[in-house]
Amino acid sequence: MAQSLEYRLDPRGKADWIMIIIITCVYSIDVVAVLFMLWNRKYPPLKCKSPVLMACMMVASILWFVGDIQANGHVPLEHTPLRNCKAFGVWVRVLLGVCTLSTLIAMRSYGLFRVFCKNQPFRGRGLYVPYAVYCFCMLVYGIVSQVVSPSLTIHYLPQVDICYYEAGFKASMFVIIWVTWLIVAILSWRIRHIKSSFNEAREMLVACTAVFVVLIFTTAMHYAVPLFPLNVRLRVLTTSFDHLATNVFWWSIMAVPIVSCVVRRDAFLEEWMDKLRQDGLQRMYDVRSPNATNNKGSSVYNRNSLFTADYARLHTKKPKPMPMDNGYPDFDPVYGAGAYPSAHTDTVLYPTVYIEEVPYHAAPQPKKKHRGNLW
């Protein structure tokens, strides 16, 4: 087909390898950051960013990059395992890369929405069932793509040594990706009022903007120039743009807590806890005073109670009654003892930091005077 249309492949050479080396170096730094994040995952400002979920997002981004190397024609495919277009072009690049990254971002946004907007835990069937349904649909999509003829999905063009996506199959992939990211955008909008301690509204705005710009660019590139991998400038630009966006997304969320954990660990923790107190969220985090220190001079905090994996534990604690003085006297000079509720009103402190006072009826009114009564 490419020969009949007089297409030719720009030689794979210096530009492709420079791009591969640079992006590989960037992802190597990212892997170091992920390992550091997981090692310090009990550090509260890191723990509140869902470190395991963020690590999975980085793995999905790397798989996306591996798929891009093959699908965008940066290296020779002939006589290599990369010639298997469905394995790398569909499973590694699209399903394990783009779709997995997208659904993990959607899962994180939905988890934050459940916790902060619906007062529900960051686990349970309400969170995992939608994710499981999406993964099942992607599995079915991959199996169907695998058994359908390559002429209808993706196939190898020996004339130019690239993998080519057929129009209908390409359209189905972009529909899935766009629908997923529209869900992410809606959830990000719903969590825009999260307190400043988390900065999620600003972070998700930056992240989603970067990804949507790249998604628009990639969609336009695939439809305006279907054989863009033949052009060295276009294929390098497309792949570089894709992974610039993934890194902007990841670092816009993780840069501040990771860098602060390295250079000013205790000071940043105290500032972070002060923000919790300003936002009224310190009880959710179960943190102690920032002025409290251990015998080594480090700030004290409860390492086992903070965020993400502990959402469910925090939100499923049994409520404990707490005494609160309601200002009523124990004895009224006119109506005697028992005219008012107990001087101590029972209140219930929920782990979501809402304090709900149990209502009492108003004090009983004096009985109507009867005829003949001296009063």
Side-chain angles (χ1 to χ4, degrees):
M1 181 184 71
Q3 285 179 339
S4 62
L5 295 176
E6 297 183 353
Y7 282 109
R8 71 178 184 86
L9 175 67
D10 286 348
R12 288 134 170 167
K14 185 182 295 185
D16 293 289
W17 283 108
I18 289 174
M19 183 215 69
I20 292 173
I21 292 171
I22 291 175
I23 297 179
T24 301
C25 291
V26 171
Y27 276 123
S28 299
I29 296 172
D30 293 342
V31 169
V32 173
V34 168
L35 294 176
F36 177 83
M37 174 188 70
L38 294 176
W39 181 261
N40 294 275
R41 63 188 180 277
K42 298 295 185 180
Y43 182 62
L46 285 176
K47 192 171 184 179
C48 77
K49 298 299 183 182
S50 311
V52 174
L53 207 60
M54 296 302 296
C56 292
M57 291 181 196
M58 183 55 66
V59 172
S61 300
I62 293 172
L63 292 174
W64 182 0
F65 175 56
V66 173
D68 271 354
I69 291 175
Q70 183 249 33
N72 291 346
H74 294 291
V75 295
L77 308 184
E78 193 172 10
H79 306 304
T80 70
L82 294 174
R83 184 173 173 174
N84 189 334
C85 295
K86 288 186 178 180
F88 288 90
V90 177
W91 288 96
V92 174
R93 185 196 191 202
V94 177
L95 298 181
L96 296 177
V98 180
C99 290
T100 299
L101 176 64
S102 302
T103 190
L104 288 172
I105 295 169
M107 182 180 179
R108 183 173 185 270
S109 300
Y110 182 55
L112 293 171
F113 172 73
R114 281 170 57 85
V115 170
F116 289 99
C117 300
K118 302 186 71 176
N119 295 318
Q120 294 177 351
F122 196 88
R123 71 175 185 182
R125 283 181 292 182
L127 177 66
Y128 297 137
V129 168
Y131 178 72
V133 170
Y134 182 91
C135 291
F136 177 76
C137 293
M138 292 301 97
L139 180 62
V140 171
Y141 181 85
I143 293 173
V144 172
S145 303
Q146 192 69 36
V147 300
V148 171
S149 171
S151 62
L152 299 176
T153 54
I154 181 174
H155 55 93
Y156 177 68
L157 295 178
Q159 301 91 340
V160 287
D161 193 31
I162 64 169
C163 289
Y164 179 75
Y165 293 91
E166 291 296 331
F169 183 67
K170 185 191 301 183
S172 67
M173 291 191 305
F174 277 110
V175 167
I176 292 172
I177 296 169
W178 271 103
V179 168
T180 304
W181 274 99
L182 287 175
I183 294 172
V184 172
I186 293 171
L187 291 172
S188 299
W189 175 256
R190 297 293 298 272
I191 64 174
R192 67 191 184 277
H193 295 308
I194 286 181
K195 297 290 188 178
S196 63
S197 307
F198 308 95
N199 296 315
E200 293 293 345
R202 183 173 66 250
E203 292 168 356
M204 291 303 292
L205 175 62
V206 173
C208 288
T209 300
V211 173
F212 270 106
V213 169
V214 169
L215 193 54
I216 292 170
F217 173 81
T218 304
T219 305
M221 182 66 69
H222 273 271
Y223 281 97
V225 190
L227 291 174
F228 72 89
L230 301 179
N231 185 302
V232 63
R233 290 191 180 90
L234 294 181
R235 65 177 179 251
V236 168
L237 178 62
T238 302
T239 302
S240 301
F241 211 19
D242 285 347
H243 299 284
L244 174 65
T246 60
N247 277 272
V248 167
F249 172 84
W250 200 87
W251 284 103
S252 66
I253 296 174
M254 298 306 306
V256 172
I258 286 179
V259 174
S260 299
C261 183
V262 174
V263 300
R264 48 195 299 270
R265 184 184 182 94
D266 291 339
F268 180 71
L269 177 59
E270 292 181 3
E271 294 173 5
W272 186 81
M273 290 192 295
D274 286 341
K275 285 187 178 181
L276 287 182
R277 288 174 177 80
Q278 293 171 10
D279 292 340
L281 296 174
Q282 67 273 19
R283 285 190 175 91
M284 177 184 284
Y285 282 74
D286 191 20
V287 294
R288 303 180 189 179
S289 170
N291 297 321
T293 59
N294 58 21
N295 55 8
K296 296 181 180 180
S298 299
S299 296
V300 175
Y301 54 89
N302 188 338
R303 290 177 178 267
N304 298 317
S305 63
L306 293 156
F307 223 62
T308 307
D310 298 310
Y311 275 146
R313 186 177 61 77
L314 288 166
H315 283 267
T316 55
K317 283 183 178 178
K318 293 182 180 179
K320 298 179 181 179
M322 295 183 65
M324 177 180 288
D325 189 356
N326 58 20
Y328 289 124
D330 290 324
F331 179 83
D332 185 271
V334 177
Y335 299 106
Y340 295 100
S342 171
H344 298 289
T345 302
D346 287 338
T347 63
V348 177
L349 175 63
Y350 287 94
T352 51
V353 305
Y354 294 102
I355 299 178
E356 179 179 341
E357 184 172 347
V358 179
Y360 281 88
H361 297 293
Q365 299 296 322
K367 296 180 180 180
K368 293 183 178 180
K369 298 179 181 179
H370 298 284
R371 290 181 182 179
N373 193 309
L374 295 176
W375 293 100

